């Protein structure tokens, strides 16, 4: 079926911001990204009498302003369940925003330097949801619907090759409540305990509350993961040493290329 759509991206669709992701048992170090946005609007089988799905200029105007509002700010997830957020008590004007994290780390930022967003975590995924709602609100859902646009997607990239995309049908919104509901970040966050990621990098720069593995809150799982990694590492080291010894003693034939079978035989000899 024939349909029309437009993709809008521009060098000005970018903002620089600081953040850190925090959830139960984990906190990243404070760092920053050069974020980039793009917007895609999916229309119907017909375009407007003016020849447009939507004027590129209308989309560019909105996205540029959104980026400007976030540029050179700290992204603060106001709905976080592991960060205590409050204005400085001794500051009558509330000029500083204080954050205290689960691991005891604390931060203080000038209020003017903080983008206080209705998100739970400052991830690219949740930013994409927030930005979808913000951009749609500025473009006007009813206006887009009248022009035959039924779906909008927003892509938020924090680096080359690292981007999150949020796509949703545009609600038939007359009072604005539908947009608010669609872009409610909390409704998309799974309330179940996060599945631990594989314990592949013990030397991560992230500040992990659990020192041995990047896991969430299960102490038994932490211990099992630690032992598993240690055993795996020791076993691999033994096998590599066996391979080195075999090469040095001439047990592997040098007159031809070493095959996978040769290497496998060395490993098998270690297991026997």
């Amino acid at each position: 079926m024939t349909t029309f759509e437009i993709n809008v991206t521009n060098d000005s669709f970018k903002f620089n911001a600081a953040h850190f992701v925090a959830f139960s048992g984990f906190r990243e170090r404070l760092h920053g990204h050069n974020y980039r946005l793009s917007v895609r609007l999916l229309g119907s089988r017909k375009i407007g009498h003016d020849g447009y799905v939507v004027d590129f200029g209308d989309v560019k105007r909105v996205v540029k302003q959104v980026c400007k509002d976030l540029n050179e700010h700290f992204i603060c997830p106001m709905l976080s369940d592991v960060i205590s957020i409050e204005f400085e008590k001794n500051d009558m004007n509330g000029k500083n925003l204080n954050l205290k994290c689960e691991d005891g780390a604390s931060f203080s930022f000038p209020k003017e330097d903080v983008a206080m967003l209705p998100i739970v975590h400052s991830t690219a995924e949740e930013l994409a949801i927030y930005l979808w709602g913000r951009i749609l609100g500025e473009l006007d859902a009813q206006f887009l619907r009248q022009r035959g646009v039924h779906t909008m997607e927003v892509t938020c990239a924090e680096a080359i090759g690292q981007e999150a995309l949020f796509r949703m049908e545009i609600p038939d919104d007359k009072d604005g409540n539908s947009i608010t509901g669609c872009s409610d970040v909390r409704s998309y966050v799974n309330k179940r305990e996060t599945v631990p990621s594989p314990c592949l990098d013990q030397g991560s720069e992230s500040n992990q509350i659990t020192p041995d593995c990047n896991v969430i809150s299960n102490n038994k799982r932490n211990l099992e993961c630690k032992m598993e990694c240690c055993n795996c590492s020791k076993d691999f080291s033994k096998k590599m040493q066996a391979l080195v010894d075999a090469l040095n003693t001439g047990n592997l034939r040098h007159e031809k290329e070493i095959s996978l079978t040769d290497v496998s035989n060395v490993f098998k000899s270690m297991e026997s």
Side-chain angles (χ1 to χ4, degrees):
M1 182 176 69
T2 301
T3 58
F4 289 91
E5 63 181 63
I6 62 171
N7 295 285
V8 190
T9 186
N10 192 278
D11 286 340
S12 61
F13 290 6
K14 60 184 179 182
F15 61 93
N16 306 320
H19 86 130
F20 60 82
V21 174
F23 51 84
S24 181
F26 177 88
R27 178 182 64 81
E28 286 184 319
R29 289 182 178 175
L30 178 65
H31 63 285
H33 293 290
N34 298 318
Y35 292 92
R36 288 185 173 273
L37 306 182
S38 63
V39 176
R40 181 179 176 218
L41 297 173
L42 285 70
S44 62
R45 300 181 63 183
K46 299 287 185 178
I47 54 178
H49 71 281
D50 51 9
Y52 296 136
V53 173
V54 174
D55 190 336
F56 288 141
D58 292 340
V59 181
K60 289 164 67 176
R61 172 182 51 79
V62 169
V63 179
K64 284 180 182 179
Q65 184 59 52
V66 170
C67 290
K68 183 179 180 181
D69 292 344
L70 295 174
N71 191 45
E72 297 182 348
H73 283 73
F74 168 72
I75 297 174
C76 183
M78 298 300 289
L79 304 181
S80 172
D81 53 1
V82 295
I83 304 175
S84 173
I85 305 170
E86 60 182 17
F87 289 103
E88 195 166 298
K89 294 179 180 179
N90 297 328
D91 186 352
M92 298 299 294
N93 296 319
K95 292 183 178 179
N96 289 321
L97 191 67
N98 294 335
L99 282 66
K100 188 166 185 178
C101 303
E102 188 183 48
D103 63 349
S106 59
F107 304 86
S108 182
F109 298 97
K111 184 174 66 174
E112 292 77 10
D113 294 352
V114 179
M116 294 176 278
L117 305 185
I119 57 179
V120 184
H121 315 89
S122 56
T123 60
E125 290 87 343
E126 292 191 26
L127 281 173
I129 301 170
Y130 162 76
L131 291 164
W132 183 92
R134 173 79 187 277
I135 292 170
L136 182 59
E138 295 291 337
L139 285 174
D140 188 330
Q142 285 297 302
F143 166 73
L144 295 177
R145 276 286 188 180
Q146 290 169 3
R147 294 197 64 95
V149 177
H150 57 79
T151 301
M152 183 175 81
E153 66 178 41
V154 171
T155 300
C156 176
E158 61 180 24
I160 297 175
Q162 295 176 208
E163 58 186 39
L165 183 152
F166 181 74
R167 179 195 301 113
M168 179 167 279
E169 184 174 338
I170 296 172
D172 187 10
D173 193 35
K174 296 181 180 179
D175 55 12
N177 291 330
S178 297
I179 295 178
T180 302
C182 289
S183 57
D184 179 8
V185 171
R186 281 179 296 194
S187 67
Y188 298 99
V189 178
N190 198 327
K191 293 181 175 58
R192 292 180 297 176
E193 184 176 279
T194 306
V195 177
S197 59
C199 185
L200 300 177
D201 184 8
Q202 299 292 330
S204 171
E205 292 185 356
S206 297
N207 182 10
Q208 299 175 19
I209 298 173
T210 304
D212 296 306
C213 299
N214 181 14
V215 295
I216 308 306
S217 61
N218 191 315
N219 291 332
K220 182 179 179 181
R221 176 71 182 97
N222 289 350
L223 181 59
E224 290 174 352
C225 183
K226 179 181 179 182
M227 294 175 64
E228 220 172 84
C229 289
C230 291
N231 292 336
C232 180
S233 177
K234 288 177 181 177
D235 186 52
F236 182 73
S237 296
K238 287 181 180 179
K239 291 182 178 181
M240 290 303 296
Q241 185 60 53
L243 178 59
V244 171
D245 292 342
L247 288 169
N248 290 335
T249 57
N251 290 337
L252 290 181
R253 294 163 293 180
H254 291 282
E255 64 272 12
K256 67 179 184 65
E257 288 187 2
I258 297 173
S259 68
L260 288 175
T261 302
D262 293 327
V263 177
S264 177
N265 288 337
V266 173
F267 288 165
K268 288 179 181 178
S269 67
M270 283 294 299
E271 296 170 356
S272 60

